[in-house]
Amino acid sequence: MEEINHFIVDTSKSLLDSMKIMDENARGILYVVDEAGALVGSVTDGDIRRWIIKTGDTSACVKDFMHKGTHYIFEGSNEESTLIMKEYMITSIPVLNKNHNIVDVIFEGKDQKLMLYKNSRLNETPVVIMAGGKGTRLYPYTKILPKPLIPIGDIPILERIMMKFEAFGKREFYISVNYKKEMIKSYFSENLERFSIRYIEEPVALGTAGSLKLINDNLTKPIIVTNCDSIIETDYSELVRYHKNSKNVMTIVSSIKNTIIQYGVLHTKEDGVVTEMEEKPHLTHLINTGMYVINPECIEYIPGNKMFHMTELAEKLIEDNKQVGVYPISENSFLDMGQFEEMKKMEDRINKERVL
């Protein structure tokens, strides 16, 4: 039995704290209780995402966005759990005592969950991984190895990214290459035959978007474009569904970043008069993770044979009144290796997952 306190919050718990607890339990759900400890609702990562997209408010409490129609069973009825989870397509169910206090949480088996992921096919979604950069922030490592082959643990970062997509049934990739491209191609030809790779060879460095212009295939479906120096932990199938349903031409996967100002902040008005003093305030932003879903027509905005980045593409689309949206994920769902200290955090996180 898992420690149930890792899955229970009260109605006053903040959105940011709820996301942290959800990251720690790695199950994507919390159950909400009132002051007496009785079940009153539930919150999933999807509930939080929809709230942020709809309101932009990250200062809310659980009571503002929780789902009240939560399924549950009573003690002694555990045999009903599998039928209920299957009928309502849920992956967990709380067990209550006569006072509606949570005494246990039953989860779907890990193998069964993985199978759900594998059935969420991405076969019709092209995936482009931008692996042509020099990785100057990781010098001198990248003087010897191209950034995509720098190992996180004992597996290169590029392979780890591909494995994340593989969990959703995706094994075909476009990989854009330039710097030390022969090393990248040699590694994958000798070690990873299960993947089908079409290389986009940049004649010169073309940035994070420029090489899309070199794809000769007739692309008709939304495309996932991602950098090769970060791991995004989310449901890629749900990401593509959201992109289509929202009618965005571009969807930017964004991570919530919570920053603490380590000083007291003064709020002033005219003539330098202090109106308020705020001690170590928290600032919350949505940051760009480097993963996008774009419609094929976006490629028309990319100039040929020229350095061009995805951020520039987003700006052009916005200027042309095209709809660019966000898909928020939690801070811990974005693992970045662009700098040495962040690379160490990524390795520590992956090593911790191995132990679990």
Side-chain angles (χ1 to χ4, degrees), residues 182-197:
E182 296 305 327
M183 291 182 68
I184 298 171
K185 293 166 70 174
S186 175
Y187 175 82
F188 283 100
S189 66
E190 294 176 5
N191 296 280
L192 295 170
E193 294 181 355
R194 72 182 188 275
F195 293 125
S196 174
I197 300 173

Side-chain angles (χ1 to χ4, degrees), residues 40-320:
V40 293
S42 61
V43 172
T44 66
D45 49 2
D47 292 327
I48 294 176
R49 182 177 302 112
R50 285 185 288 272
W51 172 264
I52 295 172
I53 291 170
K54 182 179 179 180
T55 69
D57 180 13
T58 58
S59 63
C61 294
V62 165
K63 64 183 178 182
D64 297 319
F65 51 84
M66 71 179 185
H67 176 67
K68 296 180 180 179
T70 303
H71 298 284
Y72 58 86
I73 60 173
F74 285 107
E75 286 181 291
S77 304
N78 287 22
E79 68 278 359
E80 299 176 13
S81 62
T82 301
L83 292 174
I84 294 174
M85 287 192 284
K86 184 176 181 180
E87 179 180 357
Y88 294 101
M89 298 180 68
I90 55 179
T91 57
S92 66
I93 190 166
V95 181
L96 310 184
N97 63 19
K98 62 182 180 180
N99 297 319
H100 280 234
N101 303 130
I102 301 174
V103 296
D104 194 6
V105 180
I106 297 175
F107 291 95
E108 173 182 67
K110 289 184 178 180
D111 292 341
Q112 194 173 0
K113 186 174 183 181
L114 180 60
M115 187 59 65
L116 281 177
Y117 278 179
K118 286 185 177 295
N119 287 336
S120 301
R121 310 298 287 181
L122 286 176
N123 282 346
E124 295 186 354
T125 303
V127 175
V128 182
I129 305 175
M130 296 296 180
K134 289 187 175 182
T136 52
R137 291 183 299 169
L138 293 175
Y139 187 87
Y141 285 3
T142 49
K143 185 177 181 180
I144 302 167
L145 284 175
K147 180 171 62 175
L149 294 187
I150 291 179
I152 303 300
D154 56 355
I155 299 175
I157 178 66
L158 180 54
E159 184 179 347
R160 287 196 180 275
I161 292 170
M162 296 165 75
M163 289 167 61
K164 288 293 182 182
F165 283 100
E166 186 181 24
F168 293 85
K170 188 66 180 177
R171 291 184 176 177
E172 297 180 353
F173 301 90
Y174 294 93
I175 299 182
S176 179
V177 293
N178 177 253
Y179 180 67
K180 295 186 181 292
K181 63 182 179 182
E182 296 305 327
M183 291 182 68
I184 298 171
K185 293 166 70 174
S186 175
Y187 175 82
F188 283 100
S189 66
E190 294 176 5
N191 296 280
L192 295 170
E193 294 181 355
R194 72 182 188 275
F195 293 125
S196 174
I197 300 173
R198 280 177 277 187
Y199 292 100
I200 310 168
E201 300 198 26
E202 303 176 21
V204 293
L206 296 176
T208 56
S211 62
L212 293 174
K213 201 76 170 180
L214 301 177
I215 297 177
N216 295 321
D217 298 334
N218 181 26
L219 301 178
T220 59
K221 304 286 186 179
I223 308 156
I224 295 178
V225 181
T226 187
N227 292 342
C228 73
D229 56 3
S230 59
I231 294 175
I232 309 299
E233 297 185 337
T234 192
D235 185 330
Y236 300 142
S237 296
E238 176 60 31
L239 166 61
V240 175
R241 281 195 294 271
Y242 168 76
H243 172 81
K244 292 176 180 177
N245 293 339
S246 64
K247 302 189 185 305
N248 294 335
V249 297
M250 171 188 279
T251 298
I252 304 172
V253 178
S254 56
S255 171
I256 291 178
K257 182 69 174 178
N258 191 34
T259 304
I260 302 175
I261 304 298
Q262 296 293 341
Y263 302 94
V265 173
L266 303 179
H267 298 272
T268 63
K269 63 179 183 179
E270 295 86 355
D271 301 320
V273 176
V274 176
T275 59
E276 182 185 355
M277 298 180 66
E278 189 176 6
E279 191 64 27
K280 297 183 178 179
H282 290 225
L283 302 179
T284 304
H285 303 279
L286 287 174
I287 63 171
N288 186 354
T289 66
M291 178 180 282
Y292 310 80
V293 183
I294 64 171
N295 289 347
E297 60 266 28
C298 294
I299 296 177
E300 298 173 6
Y301 288 79
I302 300 173
N305 200 33
K306 178 182 177 182
M307 175 76 73
F308 195 75
H309 294 293
M310 291 296 291
T311 50
E312 295 175 277
L313 176 58
E315 290 169 355
K316 278 183 171 288
L317 293 170
I318 294 169
E319 289 172 3
D320 201 23

